[in-house]
Amino acid sequence: AAGAGCPAGHLRSPGAGRRRGGGGDGERGGGGGDRRPSARRRWCSRRATSLPVARASGGRGGLPRGRNARRAGEDRAPRARGGGQGAEQLLTIERLTAGGAGLGRDEQGRPLFVRGVLPGERVRARPPAEGKLWELVELVDSSNHRREPRCPEHARCGGCDWMHVSPAERRAAYAAILEELLRRTGQALPEIRVVSPTEERGYRGRARFLVRVRKGRTEIGYRARASHELVPIASCEILEPGLLACAQELAACLTDGAVMGDVSVAWQRRADSEGLVAPLGLGRDLASDALRELYAMVERGALAGVSLAVSGAAAPIRIGDPRPAMIADDGLTLWFSAGGFAQASSAGARHL
């Protein structure tokens, strides 16, 4: 096996130990010699970053290395080459997957994952310029469950993968994904019932935004699909009223210097009161004016609480009570951490 980050047999040839006299291999010989690396060593150093670490992984005695190594019996989509300029494929979509993409197969039966498709559709797709998700080029045969996304940023935003899917097909896809996961455990399958939001709009009670401040200009939005790029938004129809406005007010505080970080906003709903909370994750310290404004927002009731995490800090700054909360069907309060799993809607929390 190769050494750490170094292809076997390329950095040093067999027997390239100490040399007598000149010591041209970069090691001192018996005669004291030049310590400069040889031409072969310099060439290998330049090539080391481009040569495969485990080039023989598919052959005799080779082992796949790293966290992305293929597991036994696991399907893997073929790697796209040529920066998205490879041959297009005509695919029939079998099902939707947990990641939001549709699964199709090429002529060799290898899985390909395409975004923006539905089960039963015949589509033409091309390899991606980067990443693993293939890009939809042409919709050859459309599904009856397809609908036009209402959001103007749907093509770029990474927030809603299934806005083009009808509610009935969405529920069926959720059940099918869960059924497949349970079947792999070998247990008897229970009855699966999918609980959907009562409304198609204004149902989501928590969201995480990306904020960017450059030269005093503040932008807020979501991340682009499979990217850290910012997609600025002026509205979001799936959010409950008040969430985006609160996030925009928070972002307006961050006008000092250059900031790039996360602003989360969620409801804290108790039996006797409710308010918005905001966990902030920023890459730098806040200016004193911005910190005072956060304290003022909590004091005047615009926020129930704020937690501020900056890089290098041992613990986040807590102002008020920044814990999100929901009311369950039995009337008890469900507390959860800002980054933990919870239902996105209050109706979903009550049902579960």
Side-chain angles (χ1 to χ4, degrees), residues 113-352:
F113 298 94
V114 188
R115 64 164 61 101
V117 295
L118 283 88
E121 291 186 332
R122 294 180 70 242
V123 301
R124 194 175 302 278
R126 63 168 170 250
E130 57 182 359
K132 298 180 179 179
L133 293 182
W134 284 50
E135 299 173 6
L136 177 63
V137 176
E138 180 186 0
L139 194 58
V140 180
D141 292 326
S142 177
S143 169
N144 294 331
H145 295 287
R146 175 174 291 274
R147 68 178 187 178
E148 188 66 24
R150 297 182 300 267
C151 177
E153 302 295 341
H154 176 261
R156 298 178 55 212
C157 179
C160 299
D161 289 315
W162 287 358
M163 190 169 277
H164 65 289
V165 186
S166 69
E169 183 68 9
R170 219 179 295 159
R171 289 191 292 269
Y174 280 128
I177 290 171
L178 181 57
E179 184 178 345
E180 175 65 20
L181 293 174
L182 293 174
R183 183 180 289 110
R184 295 179 184 179
T185 66
Q187 305 294 326
L189 294 181
E191 180 185 357
I192 299 176
R193 184 170 62 93
V194 180
V195 177
S196 298
T198 55
E199 300 292 338
E200 283 293 301
R201 305 183 185 188
Y203 67 88
R204 190 175 180 89
R206 58 188 299 198
R208 184 177 66 181
F209 304 93
L210 180 64
V211 174
R212 180 173 63 195
V213 179
R214 289 180 179 175
K215 298 180 180 179
R217 182 188 176 198
T218 304
E219 292 181 301
I220 185 169
Y222 296 120
R223 284 177 170 82
R225 295 184 187 276
S227 171
H228 293 290
E229 291 297 318
L230 173 67
V231 178
I233 61 168
S235 63
C236 182
E237 67 172 33
I238 68 170
L239 298 182
E240 287 191 31
L243 263 70
L244 180 56
C246 179
Q248 290 170 334
E249 185 177 357
L250 285 166
C253 302
L254 312 176
T255 56
D256 180 67
V259 175
M260 185 80 165
D262 291 325
V263 171
S264 297
V265 181
W267 282 104
Q268 183 191 93
R269 289 193 165 106
R270 313 189 200 189
D272 56 348
S273 65
E274 71 174 27
L276 290 168
V277 295
L280 311 180
L282 305 176
R284 59 183 294 277
D285 292 334
L286 280 182
S288 57
D289 290 343
L291 197 56
R292 280 195 294 269
E293 182 58 28
L294 293 180
Y295 274 98
M297 291 181 69
V298 174
E299 289 175 358
R300 66 173 181 263
L303 288 170
V306 176
S307 65
L308 173 63
V310 296
S311 59
I317 300 172
R318 293 169 59 94
I319 307 172
D321 187 350
R323 297 176 298 166
M326 293 181 178
I327 303 298
D329 194 43
D330 56 4
L332 296 179
T333 302
L334 297 174
W335 298 94
F336 53 92
S337 63
F341 174 80
Q343 293 299 303
S345 68
S346 298
R350 288 194 298 270
H351 279 296
L352 291 181

Side-chain angles (χ1 to χ4, degrees), residues 1-12 44 47-55:
C6 188
H10 285 279
L11 184 59
R12 296 184 65 181
C44 289
R47 292 286 291 170
T49 57
S50 61
L51 291 171
V53 173
R55 190 165 57 178

Side-chain angles (χ1 to χ4, degrees), residues 78 89 105-111:
Q89 297 273 356
R105 297 185 183 274
D106 63 10
E107 294 178 352
Q108 288 74 39
R110 296 175 298 182

Side-chain angles (χ1 to χ4, degrees), residues 75-96:
D75 284 341
R76 172 180 288 182
R79 184 180 296 275
R81 299 184 182 274
Q85 302 301 318
E88 296 179 356
Q89 297 273 356
L90 184 62
L91 306 171
T92 299
I93 304 304
E94 300 177 5
R95 56 184 173 88
L96 295 174

